[in-house]
Amino acid sequence: MTQVPVGREERRKLHDREIVALAVPAFGALVAEPLFVMVDSAIVGHLGTPQLAGLGVAAALLMTAVSVFVFLAYATTAAVARRVGAGDLQSAIRQGMDGIWLAFVLGIAVIAVTLPTAPWLVDVFGASDTAAPHAITYLRISSFGIPAMLIVLAATGVLRGLQDTRTPLYVAVGGFAANAALNAGLVYGAGLGIAGSAWGTVIAQCGMAAAYLVVVVRGARRHGSSLRPDAAGIRASAQAGVPLLVRTLSLRAVLLIATAVAARLGDTDIAAHQIVLSLWSLMAFALDAIAIAGQAIIGRFLGAGDAEGARQVCRRMVQWGVAAGVVLGILVVVSRPLFIPLFTGDQAVQDTLLPALLVVAVSQPIAGVVFVLDGVLMGAGDGPYLAWAMLFTLAAFAPVALLVPALGGGLTALWWAMTLMMAVRLLTLWWRARSGRWIVTGATR
């Protein structure tokens, strides 16, 4: 019997269905961390501007401590998906278990560094005398949840590589609900202030990690994969993640520079910046949901040796990225009167926040393409290029951002510098995607 060839329109519909099936649940898991910070910001913001300013500095430091290891999710997704495409589920899950053990080791190391250096880190960020004590308190307590956060990253990568984004969605919803309830109860009910917010987040993160481990361990036993730590496998996972670590450190350096500049503009600006950054992160993760679907699909196509399928998915996802960016930008503009009062009642903070937020809205279509192409290249295992591209972007952004206070610019000028950063990323990623050099087939790259 002759197989009927699938037409272009039919292929596009198939890609759309698969992207939606993976991206929609992935969004719930991706937004867990920014939603945690947004809940913290909304609750702590009503304690006072110094508390919110302190949270702004501490949250940026905490997210940096965790996000520099995001390769635990992204590299694991690509590696597991390739093996799934090649039909080797046992080695796919074994690869994931190596990533989880690596996450635990790295988490303990980060705690050991963060606890004694918290006052110095807060001071480096230029937090004011009124905000610094709150920042130190939040940072030290929250650091105890870092191992759980890293385990969540690695385990999420395993499930994504297995083409399962629904389980992370369920865990994320449970974690968000627990975090909101714990924060409200500990901050106001127990009267613990900003410390209660930090403890609530730690407890919620530990619960999420436990849930992920139950799922992954069951999968490992079902397919006969070992649960014991393997030194060679852990070392291989670490080596594979080095380029993505460089890429992520460069990106986090951009965000840290932006926060440091905002802190030096004053408490009002850093408080407003924290709100804008929380919303920007939420939208970035929403766009990245499409990229996560692309990582899983492209990794699978490349593992199965289907280079043309990978190209088609890449093109379709770029279209999705543009459309999603336009929609998000419009939503920000239309809904701003509704959500701004939720974060702060300080009129000065609101006045500073609004124009910067409009800049973010305008830049969302650019962000849509950037996050999608970033995900495509991660799914292909093109980490070395991503590292060099992000280093170049950092070199372009840093001098512009650092000139903002010297030239008398405010928070809005800082966020225009952030838009420039995204434009540079767009150029570097678009060039690589067009070149086709990222397409390497096989169970391993």
Side-chain angles (χ1 to χ4, degrees), residues 55-214:
L55 173 63
V57 173
L61 287 163
L62 180 65
M63 291 184 71
T64 297
V66 175
S67 297
V68 293
F69 301 116
V70 75
F71 70 84
L72 292 166
Y74 292 152
T76 303
T77 298
V80 171
R82 276 183 178 267
R83 285 164 175 77
V84 169
D88 189 355
L89 287 176
Q90 185 180 55
S91 66
I93 297 178
R94 175 66 261 183
Q95 175 97 23
M97 288 303 304
D98 291 335
I100 290 173
W101 279 109
L102 177 62
F104 177 75
V105 172
L106 291 174
I108 298 301
V110 173
I111 291 179
V113 171
T114 304
L115 284 177
T117 61
W120 176 80
L121 291 170
V122 169
D123 183 63
V124 166
F125 265 71
S128 67
D129 292 339
T130 56
H134 302 294
I136 294 170
T137 297
Y138 189 92
L139 181 60
R140 278 182 164 161
I141 294 173
S142 295
S143 67
F144 290 106
I146 288 175
M149 295 178 190
L150 298 190
I151 289 172
V152 165
L153 286 176
T156 300
V158 176
L159 295 180
R160 290 174 187 162
L162 294 171
Q163 317 295 295
D164 175 12
T165 56
R166 290 184 179 273
T167 300
L169 170 63
Y170 301 146
V171 176
V173 170
F176 172 71
N179 182 64
L182 287 166
N183 270 262
L186 294 175
V187 171
Y188 296 115
L192 296 180
I194 196 169
S197 178
W199 281 118
T201 300
V202 169
I203 295 170
Q205 289 284 0
C206 289
M208 291 175 66
Y212 275 117
L213 286 175
V214 168

Side-chain angles (χ1 to χ4, degrees), residues 32-426:
E33 188 59 34
L35 279 177
F36 279 16
V37 177
M38 288 179 68
V39 167
D40 290 358
S41 298
I43 293 175
V44 172
H46 292 284
L47 292 174
T49 298
Q51 287 88 340
L52 183 58
L55 173 63
V57 173
L61 287 163
L62 180 65
M63 291 184 71
T64 297
V66 175
S67 297
V68 293
F69 301 116
V70 75
F71 70 84
L72 292 166
Y74 292 152
T76 303
T77 298
V80 171
R82 276 183 178 267
R83 285 164 175 77
V84 169
D88 189 355
L89 287 176
Q90 185 180 55
S91 66
I93 297 178
R94 175 66 261 183
Q95 175 97 23
M97 288 303 304
D98 291 335
I100 290 173
W101 279 109
L102 177 62
F104 177 75
V105 172
L106 291 174
I108 298 301
V110 173
I111 291 179
V113 171
T114 304
L115 284 177
T117 61
W120 176 80
L121 291 170
V122 169
D123 183 63
V124 166
F125 265 71
S128 67
D129 292 339
T130 56
H134 302 294
I136 294 170
T137 297
Y138 189 92
L139 181 60
R140 278 182 164 161
I141 294 173
S142 295
S143 67
F144 290 106
I146 288 175
M149 295 178 190
L150 298 190
I151 289 172
V152 165
L153 286 176
T156 300
V158 176
L159 295 180
R160 290 174 187 162
L162 294 171
Q163 317 295 295
D164 175 12
T165 56
R166 290 184 179 273
T167 300
L169 170 63
Y170 301 146
V171 176
V173 170
F176 172 71
N179 182 64
L182 287 166
N183 270 262
L186 294 175
V187 171
Y188 296 115
L192 296 180
I194 196 169
S197 178
W199 281 118
T201 300
V202 169
I203 295 170
Q205 289 284 0
C206 289
M208 291 175 66
Y212 275 117
L213 286 175
V214 168
V215 174
V216 174
V217 168
R218 284 177 179 173
R221 288 174 174 169
R222 186 182 309 118
H223 295 287
S225 297
S226 173
L227 298 175
R228 291 179 296 181
D230 176 68
I234 294 172
R235 186 165 54 252
S237 294
Q239 291 172 348
V242 168
L244 289 180
L245 175 60
V246 173
R247 169 257 180 202
T248 304
L249 282 171
S250 301
L251 177 58
R252 295 309 304 180
V254 166
L255 301 180
L256 289 172
I257 289 171
T259 300
V261 170
R264 283 166 173 76
L265 294 175
D267 280 3
T268 297
D269 288 85
I270 184 58
H273 176 75
Q274 169 60 20
I275 297 172
V276 176
L277 187 60
S278 296
L279 292 167
W280 184 85
S281 298
L282 175 61
M283 291 186 289
F285 278 91
L287 295 170
D288 210 23
I290 305 171
I292 292 301
Q295 286 182 39
I297 298 170
I298 284 176
R300 193 186 74 234
F301 271 109
L302 294 177
D306 189 351
E308 181 56 30
R311 290 190 185 94
Q312 291 174 1
V313 172
C314 176
R315 287 194 293 267
R316 190 56 180 161
M317 284 191 303
V318 168
Q319 295 170 358
W320 275 76
V322 173
V326 170
V327 171
L328 287 173
I330 293 173
L331 285 175
V332 169
V333 174
V334 172
S335 62
R336 67 188 189 280
L338 300 177
F339 63 76
I340 289 179
L342 295 177
F343 290 98
T344 179
D346 189 321
Q347 188 61 48
V349 175
Q350 291 185 10
D351 292 342
T352 303
L353 162 67
L354 182 57
L357 196 61
L358 295 178
V359 172
V360 171
V362 170
S363 68
Q364 284 310 292
I366 296 174
V369 179
V370 166
F371 281 97
V372 164
L373 290 179
D374 200 42
V376 167
L377 298 184
M378 285 184 188
D382 201 16
Y385 178 80
L386 290 172
W388 285 110
M390 199 61 227
L391 284 170
F392 175 78
T393 301
L394 173 61
F397 167 78
V400 176
L402 294 174
L403 281 174
V404 168
L407 297 178
L411 189 65
T412 303
L414 176 60
W415 276 94
W416 275 119
M418 290 285 287
T419 302
L420 171 65
M421 177 271 296
M422 294 300 290
V424 174
R425 291 188 71 191
L426 175 62

